[in-house]
């Protein structure tokens, strides 16, 4: 039971989506399968993250799982079929990849609050979040090559940026589990705390982050992503540069001159060295 007054933002089947003092919390709510995701779970999370992007009163997002056993145990093996995870209409999907992109693109910080197993695709979910705070009972690991799957995308390349190439290969090749403390030492977890303090510390971190400049945080996230994301990362960073330019008088002058059918007077604006 949380001591914070989380208010439901929207009702879903597989997730809880709540709000408290500027923080949105997305909770995978399938404890019977250790919060494994099925296509519907990912569709709901995609919808929730889109709301996080749009809502002005949401500053930071926390991703977690219900209970004290698991953050997320990856793709639901019970609905895995030929070509992917089978949705309610019988269509095979790999739509957790869309969620990875969504989390990385979100112009707000996303914190994984890891409250137990972060395994397989569940491990990748914490990897793609901006920060990870883990309870001391958390366990981390990939299982793909053991259970017939793999993530050669962010789940390996971005993981390698966090823990180094050798460790990333070890994690994927051996499919062992690592303690929260080991994961912190490797550099893929920011902080390990007692389970009973996990939400408190996460809220504390959110409150600190919310005292910082949102636009500065946004640009830092973009820059750190761009370093790994190639043309796509540059495009997102360039998009934000355009956004900031549109906030300036210099950009307004161009538009106003067009609408007023005159030459723009760009000479009035400073050329910083
Ligand atoms: C988490 C583990 C280690 C916990 O072990 P423990 O404590 O012994 O508990 P269990 O008894 O095993 O589990 C408790 C109950 O939960 C069910 N359950 C657990 N995990 C899953 C799961 N992933 N799917 C369905 N059910 C699960 C158990 O069955 C049990 O329920 P009952 O008692 O009713 O049987 C351990 O559970 C474990 O190892 N779990 C499996 C971890 C795993 O292999 N996950 C899948 C890995 N693969 C992926 O995630 C796919 C990656 C992916 O999604 C992807 C990647 C790239 C591109 C696209 C995709 C994509 O597919 O979309």
């Amino acid at each position: 039971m949380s001591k914070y007054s989380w208010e439901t933002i929207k009702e879903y089947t597989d997730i809880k989506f709540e709000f408290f003092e500027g923080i949105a919390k997305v909770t995978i709510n399938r404890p019977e399968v250790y919060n494994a995701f099925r296509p519907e779970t990912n569709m709901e999370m995609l919808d929730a993250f889109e709301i996080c992007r749009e809502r002005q009163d949401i500053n930071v997002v926390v991703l977690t799982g219900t209970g004290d056993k698991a953050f997320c145990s990856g793709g639901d093996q019970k609905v895995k079929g030929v070509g992917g995870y089978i949705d309610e209409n019988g269509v095979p999907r790999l739509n957790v990849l869309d969620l990875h992109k969504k989390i990385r693109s979100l112009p707000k910080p996303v914190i994984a609050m890891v409250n137990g197993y972060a395994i397989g695709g569940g491990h990748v979910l914490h990897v793609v979040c901006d920060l990870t705070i883990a309870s001391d009972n958390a366990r981390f690991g990939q299982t793909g090559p053991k259970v017939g799957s793999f993530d050669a995308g962010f789940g390996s390349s971005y993981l390698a940026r966090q823990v180094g190439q050798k460790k990333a290969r070890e994690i994927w090749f051996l499919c062992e589990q690592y303690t929260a403390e080991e994961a912190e030492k490797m550099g893929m977890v920011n902080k390990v705390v007692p389970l009973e303090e996990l939400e408190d510390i996460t809220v504390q971190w959110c409150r600190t982050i919310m005292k910082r400049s949102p636009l500065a945080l946004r640009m830092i996230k973009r820059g750190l992503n761009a370093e790994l994301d190639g043309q796509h990362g540059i495009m997102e960073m360039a998009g934000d540069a355009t956004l900031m330019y549109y906030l300036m008088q210099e950009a307004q002058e161009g538009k106003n001159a067009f609408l007023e059918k005159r030459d723009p007077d760009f000479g009035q604006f400073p050329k910083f060295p």
Side-chain angles (χ1 to χ4, degrees):
M1 211 21 210
S2 172
K3 72 179 194 201
Y4 302 97
S5 329
W6 295 102
E7 284 167 29
T8 299
I9 296 177
K10 186 170 170 182
E11 298 279 0
Y12 294 99
T13 310
D14 287 9
I15 67 168
K16 286 190 277 178
F17 184 34
E18 298 161 301
F19 178 80
F20 170 72
E21 287 183 6
I23 308 166
K25 186 165 70 162
V26 177
T27 307
I28 305 175
N29 190 24
R30 306 187 73 223
E32 67 285 359
V33 287
Y34 275 28
N35 300 319
F37 52 77
R38 54 180 184 159
E40 291 78 7
T41 322
N42 294 328
M43 285 173 198
E44 291 179 1
M45 286 198 277
L46 282 163
D47 186 61
F49 274 92
E50 185 56 27
I51 293 170
C52 292
R53 180 182 171 189
E54 292 293 333
R55 259 180 64 162
Q56 293 293 302
D57 57 345
I58 293 175
N59 303 288
V60 53
V61 185
V62 173
L63 177 62
T64 191
T66 290
D68 58 4
K69 296 277 187 284
F71 167 74
C72 175
S73 63
D76 186 336
Q77 299 304 290
K78 290 166 186 155
V79 300
K80 193 175 176 189
V82 177
Y85 296 87
I86 311 300
D87 75 10
E88 56 199 354
N89 301 314
V91 179
R93 294 186 187 278
L94 298 174
N95 61 350
V96 77
L97 296 174
D98 298 329
L99 183 62
H100 298 170
K101 286 186 277 184
K102 192 93 181 164
I103 291 172
R104 276 180 77 77
S105 283
L106 194 82
K108 300 174 183 178
V110 182
I111 302 181
M113 184 169 85
V114 178
N115 52 311
Y117 285 110
I119 298 284
H123 188 256
V124 178
L125 279 184
H126 102 85
V127 166
V128 298
C129 288
D130 298 305
L131 299 169
T132 297
I133 305 178
S135 56
D136 47 11
N137 67 325
R139 292 287 177 277
F140 296 82
Q142 296 296 158
T143 58
K146 199 165 70 177
V147 298
S149 66
F150 63 89
D151 180 0
F154 289 129
S156 44
S157 57
Y158 188 32
L159 176 69
R161 291 293 171 109
Q162 295 174 10
V163 302
Q165 283 282 344
K166 293 278 186 188
K167 265 292 174 200
R169 283 162 211 246
E170 175 192 315
I171 290 169
W172 274 101
F173 291 1
L174 272 64
C175 300
E176 305 276 24
Q177 286 178 14
Y178 301 88
T179 63
E181 204 181 315
E182 287 169 327
E184 186 186 27
K185 278 197 190 120
M186 278 185 232
M188 62 181 177
V189 164
N190 295 89
K191 193 173 180 66
V192 182
V193 300
L195 178 63
E196 55 279 11
E197 290 173 26
L198 181 61
E199 193 174 60
D200 278 344
I201 306 281
T202 306
V203 167
Q204 243 176 54
W205 278 43
C206 290
R207 283 179 170 151
T208 303
I209 287 170
M210 285 191 285
K211 290 184 194 155
R212 310 299 178 230
S213 156
L215 203 48
L217 297 177
R218 178 175 178 144
M219 294 312 291
I220 288 291
K221 177 165 175 170
R222 291 285 191 243
L224 290 168
N225 283 353
E227 191 253 341
L228 182 63
D229 293 356
Q231 189 61 45
H232 180 85
I234 293 169
M235 178 272 287
E236 290 210 311
M237 195 158 173
D240 280 359
T242 308
L243 183 156
M244 285 196 278
Y245 178 62
Y246 283 172
L247 297 171
M248 297 172 68
Q249 280 302 314
E250 188 174 328
Q252 299 299 320
E253 170 63 10
K255 177 205 66 177
N256 291 341
F258 175 79
L259 293 176
E260 291 161 17
K261 301 190 186 308
R262 60 174 172 80
D263 285 337
D265 174 15
F266 289 123
Q268 63 183 301
F269 300 109
K271 284 108 196 144
F272 297 103

